[in-house]
Amino acid sequence: MNPNLIPAVDPAGLPGPAWLFHILLVFTFFLHMLFMNLTLGGTLLAAFAHLRSGGRRDDFRGALAGRLMAVNNFGISLTITTGVAPLLFIQVIYHQYFYTATILLASIWFATLILLTVGYYAAYLYKFRGAPTRGQGGGLWLGVSALMFFVIAMIHVAVNLVSSQPEKWGSLADGGWNVLGDPTFWPRLFHFVLAGIAFAALVAVWWAVRRAGAGVDVEINTEIARYAWRWALWSTVLQVADGFLLLMVLPKPVLKGLMSGGLATLGPLTLAIFIGIGLLMMLARASNPVENPGLVTGTLGAMTLTIAIMSITRHQVRALYLEPATSQHHFQVVSQWGNFLLFVVLLVAGLATVAYMVRRVLTSPATGEDAA
Amino acid sequence: MDYPIWDLAMGGGLLMAIVAIPHVIVAHFAVGGGLLIAVTETLAVRRDDPALRELARRSSLVLILVSTVFGAISGVGIWVVAGLISPGAISALIHTYVWGWALEWVFFVLEIVAALVYYATWDKISKGAHLLVGWLYFVGAYMSLVVINGIITFMLTPGRWLETHAFWDGFFNPTYIPSTLLRTGIAILMATVFMVFAALKTPEDRRASVLRYLGWWLAGGVIVSYAGYRWWEAVLPETVLALFRGAAPSLASLAATRHFVLWALAVTLVVGVLILILMPKLTRAATAVVLALAAFAFFGGYERLREGTRKPFLIHSHLFSNGLLVSDIETINAEGVASWSGWVARGDADPVSFGRRIFKTECSSCHTLDGYQGIRGVMPSFAEVLAVAADDPPGSGERVFQAECAACHADLSFAEMREVLPSPDEINGDPEMIYDLNVGMVSATIAGLRAMGADYAAADRDRMINTAAMDYPYMPPFVGTEKEADMLGQYLATLIPQKGGE
């Protein structure tokens, strides 16, 4: 009889050293986070703004909602596209934990697909408001979209928590909803949600400031920038509080591991906390961001840097959660360096092609008969 | 084999089909649409043809709404479902081909970004720049197919990989190039049948010529598909071909599927040529639906044939569809499945509960209780035994025998089976005896499946195994100790319908 619920390591082994997949997982997760923040935070912020505007597009909040969702029609696609890579790499190094967690929460994990489809098409219905919404502004579709993405975030947090705690699988097998009682569930969820809102708000501010600086719709862009700036400020205030709460409710061995991990763990965590507090100070410095475009760009850059660093800390926290289990398993490594090199070359070539394409598009405006 | 099992009443296989079939249709449309839309816009620019331009433009909206949304989500969905119903199997595939998927992801990024830019920049950038984006989209989409097809074909015909376990030996396997040609043809077909709907909105004076234009694409797609299919079939190993050319009654459905595939392709060509080339005025939404359904039937039939031919493997001759590695058969038979999986060991120790967990672990990737491939339905019942024994009216017994018994009793004819069975009076007089007989049949089947494991374990692992020569060519062997086989039998016995209960 096997008392161990953790499946065996895949005998096929790793097609490269484990550290390589850890790096790829963190890097691609960070890319995914950028677009995910826009999707989740942007849709939630758009829904709030739309509600406050009473559904009027001539109101600056209605314009902000329309602008955020115009970005999201592309952003959602890119969230999915960039999500594929971390989904691939997590299956390489954490397959036993990831698959087991998804099976224990199978119905709701599968439901993610349906929720995502509904949320995505609802975002398009908001964009094409008209026939489906009879010209009422599409607020219903926006609300549906925001709700779907929020529930998807809940499911992802739940799967992550279950996959990180194999010692709880026995009890979770008898009731998957128990994961909602995990003391870290809600702080963790809101850590993502608040980051998403703050990031999406800052992107909206950055764009509005650029437009206002170029003399386009200065009045409405100024109002949008001020409004979104306040959202970024207050969600960051709550984020800092929530971040400390999350740290406090982490299981003792995980917290201890984080605090005693030396520069490797304390470095990123401390840096992220300092930048987070710095972000607060930058956000509090101005009430009209249009007057200070340099501050806006700096704040957005600092926010992006924080997300990158927190992606590392998040990965380290998972590793600490799983340390008792992973220390028992050893991967066989059968490196395929040639294929990795091919991947890197193609990735560089692919990104260069995308950059060339975007540049060509931006520098080839339509001119009369030559319009595509 | 050592993961928990999702208790899904409808069955994992059916769920996978629900997610995967629409995905492959949309994914091939995304590839073929890239080619057709780019060519169509190029022609529109060269000929200064607004009708073709509008066709490209409308089709690009469909491409965005269907392909980048549903296609992308359902593509991830295949991974999600595979992880839920066959975690060990998808894990093995990913650990073998992670760099293949990583390469595909790069092309996927290019494809999605180009699609979004292409759709968003109509009328906003120069014609040359827009065409460039369209062609880049096609390159990204087609290269995705080229890469992913290496992994898909590897699963059916791993070729030299079985011997070397080398990435490229598996990628450039015997069916890779024919299958790439076939899927290229399918992609053109899928794109054409979708674009016919967009073409219906062309102004009356140009509609016929635009439909004819699509008709020639369709004819080309059919020809390429047919050539690819025949080539694919020609390079299949004899051991695989025997599955749908063989006479085994249990595999008759695969042979029928092959005929269906070829007939569906013929119907696609006939309907397409008729409504698009010869009489474009006949093209309405309804006839376009008929054309699309015929093309989907061909494609769906081919995918069914490919999947069915691979059974009982996920990676042929290496990994069974329930996650069992051929190389693990002897170990699990010696140590027991409960020693292999903590999820089987966990729970009530009574034989029926234990047997149920073994069923979930080893059988439920293909079998449900009462739904798709329902196990209860294949259990021998009192009524079936009585019907075979009585054969009243004459001929009815043989029909029941063929439908309910022949799959497992391929070695017996109807007459021989009747000789083995008690008389109808004896059956009616002692129903308990029939129940015991049925339990015995189930136990014998499990024992046969366990014995088959020895044949797999003894097979040359460097070559493709001839599953047609196995007693149950479409099933993995049962693995576990004799005691565990007995417990599975006890559980299955609880599912056997008794007199009055059928």
Side-chain angles (χ1 to χ4, degrees), chain A residues 115-314:
Chain A
L115 299 172
L116 186 54
T117 307
V118 173
Y120 201 164
Y121 280 117
Y124 266 107
L125 287 172
Y126 170 75
K127 178 182 180 180
F128 297 135
R129 66 206 173 108
T133 55
R134 299 185 188 283
Q136 297 302 305
L140 172 67
W141 299 117
L142 188 51
V144 167
S145 194
L147 179 65
M148 296 299 116
F149 295 145
F150 184 77
V151 176
I152 290 170
M154 288 179 71
I155 294 171
H156 274 76
V157 169
V159 166
N160 199 281
L161 276 175
V162 174
S163 72
S164 306
Q165 301 177 89
E167 69 279 6
K168 292 186 178 173
W169 286 352
S171 61
L172 285 164
D174 302 325
W177 293 105
N178 292 341
V179 68
L180 295 179
D182 189 297
T184 65
F185 180 86
W186 296 102
R188 198 182 176 105
L189 172 67
F190 282 102
H191 209 50
F192 281 97
V193 171
L194 291 166
I197 292 174
F199 185 76
L202 272 182
V203 170
V205 173
W206 180 79
W207 182 245
V209 167
R210 273 178 66 95
R211 302 289 287 169
V216 181
D217 299 329
V218 175
E219 193 179 336
I220 198 163
N221 275 310
T222 304
E223 284 186 293
I224 286 174
R226 291 169 65 110
Y227 181 75
W229 188 257
R230 284 201 299 277
W231 271 94
L233 171 66
W234 288 109
S235 51
T236 306
V237 169
L238 292 174
Q239 176 74 309
V240 170
D242 182 73
F244 280 111
L245 175 64
L246 177 57
L247 204 59
M248 292 303 110
V249 295
L250 282 177
K252 287 287 175 289
V254 176
L255 185 61
K256 196 175 163 192
L258 204 58
M259 295 305 171
S260 59
L263 189 64
T265 56
L266 278 178
L269 179 65
T270 311
L271 194 59
I273 290 172
F274 274 117
I275 299 176
I277 293 169
L279 268 172
L280 262 185
M281 293 164 68
M282 291 160 91
L283 284 161
R285 268 181 61 192
S287 59
N288 183 6
V290 172
E291 292 169 355
N292 202 339
L295 178 70
V296 172
T297 306
T299 310
L300 183 57
M303 174 82 73
T304 307
L305 185 63
T306 313
I307 294 168
I309 296 168
M310 286 310 293
S311 297
I312 298 170
T313 297
R314 174 184 174 274

Side-chain angles (χ1 to χ4, degrees), chain B residues 271-282:
Chain B
V271 174
V273 168
L274 187 70
I275 68 168
L276 296 178
I277 298 176
L278 299 179
M279 287 184 272
K281 285 187 178 175
L282 285 180

Side-chain angles (χ1 to χ4, degrees), chain A residues 1-16 20-21 24 28 31 73-75 77-78 80-89 91-93 95-97 99-100 102-107 109-110 112-114 116-118 120-121 124 127-128 169-171 173-174 331 335-337 339-340 342-344 346-351 353-354 356-358 360-362 364-367 369-372, chain B residues 2-6 15 19 41 48 53 57 61 64-74 76-85 87-110 112-117 119-133 136-137 165-168 325 328 337-346 349 354 357:
Chain A
M1 289 288 191
N2 182 357
N4 190 355
L5 296 180
I6 302 174
V9 162
D10 196 292
L14 293 180
L20 179 63
F21 291 103
L24 287 170
T28 54
L31 292 181
N73 286 132
F74 304 106
S77 255
L78 294 171
I80 298 168
T81 308
T82 51
V84 168
L87 180 62
L88 174 65
F89 295 127
Q91 292 177 84
V92 176
I93 42 177
H95 54 99
Q96 312 122 284
Y97 312 100
Y99 292 135
T100 304
T102 60
I103 293 168
L104 291 176
L105 301 173
S107 298
W109 177 242
F110 177 76
T112 305
L113 300 173
I114 298 164
L116 186 54
T117 307
V118 173
Y120 201 164
Y121 280 117
Y124 266 107
K127 178 182 180 180
F128 297 135
W169 286 352
S171 61
D174 302 325
F331 280 107
S335 295
Q336 299 174 4
W337 286 112
N339 292 331
F340 170 67
L342 181 62
F343 166 63
V344 172
L346 267 178
L347 183 62
V348 171
L351 293 178
T353 307
V354 168
Y356 170 73
M357 176 173 67
V358 172
R360 177 81 191 272
V361 164
L362 293 176
S364 306
T367 49
E369 284 294 303
D370 191 38
Chain B
D2 49 359
Y3 284 90
I5 301 295
W6 183 19
L15 182 67
V19 175
E41 195 196 351
D48 194 19
R53 182 178 180 278
R57 185 193 179 102
L61 175 62
I64 285 286
L65 289 179
V66 175
S67 168
T68 66
V69 183
F70 181 79
I73 294 173
S74 57
V76 173
I78 291 179
W79 265 0
V80 166
V81 175
L84 291 174
I85 64 174
I90 190 70
S91 168
L93 260 186
I94 282 182
H95 282 83
T96 307
Y97 275 104
V98 59
W99 295 123
W101 264 300
L103 296 178
E104 198 253 351
W105 177 70
V106 174
F107 291 115
F108 181 51
V109 171
L110 174 63
I112 293 294
V113 175
L116 295 170
V117 171
Y119 169 68
T121 52
W122 280 104
D123 294 330
K124 293 176 183 161
I125 60 173
S126 70
K127 288 172 182 169
H130 199 251
L131 280 176
L132 172 78
V133 176
L136 282 176
Y137 169 79
H165 280 224
F167 182 100
W168 294 107
L325 283 164
D328 285 338
V337 68
S339 298
W340 194 258
S341 167
W343 294 96
V344 172
R346 179 181 179 270
F354 214 100
R357 295 198 293 277

Side-chain angles (χ1 to χ4, degrees), chain B residues 51-216:
Chain B
L52 283 181
R53 182 178 180 278
E54 275 311 296
L55 177 65
R57 185 193 179 102
R58 274 195 296 272
S59 302
S60 71
L61 175 62
V62 180
L63 194 75
I64 285 286
L65 289 179
V66 175
S67 168
T68 66
V69 183
F70 181 79
I73 294 173
S74 57
V76 173
I78 291 179
W79 265 0
V80 166
V81 175
L84 291 174
I85 64 174
S86 308
I90 190 70
S91 168
L93 260 186
I94 282 182
H95 282 83
T96 307
Y97 275 104
V98 59
W99 295 123
W101 264 300
L103 296 178
E104 198 253 351
W105 177 70
V106 174
F107 291 115
F108 181 51
V109 171
L110 174 63
E111 174 188 346
I112 293 294
V113 175
L116 295 170
V117 171
Y118 185 76
Y119 169 68
T121 52
W122 280 104
D123 294 330
K124 293 176 183 161
I125 60 173
S126 70
K127 288 172 182 169
H130 199 251
L131 280 176
L132 172 78
V133 176
W135 282 104
L136 282 176
Y137 169 79
F138 168 63
V139 170
Y142 190 70
M143 288 307 293
S144 289
L145 182 149
V146 165
V147 174
I148 210 73
N149 192 42
I151 301 173
I152 293 170
T153 51
F154 155 78
M155 292 160 72
L156 175 61
T157 50
R160 271 174 49 78
W161 180 89
L162 289 170
E163 187 185 338
T164 65
H165 280 224
F167 182 100
W168 294 107
D169 280 340
F171 190 91
F172 290 116
N173 62 80
T175 55
Y176 175 68
I177 295 175
S179 177
T180 305
L181 180 71
L182 168 57
R183 287 186 184 279
T184 303
I186 291 171
I188 293 171
L189 265 184
M190 293 301 113
T192 313
V193 298
F194 270 103
M195 286 174 68
V196 167
F197 291 96
L200 287 175
K201 295 196 171 172
T202 307
E204 187 93 30
D205 59 325
R206 288 299 314 281
R207 193 180 303 155
S209 66
V210 169
L211 288 170
R212 274 199 192 93
Y213 165 76
L214 288 177
W216 290 115

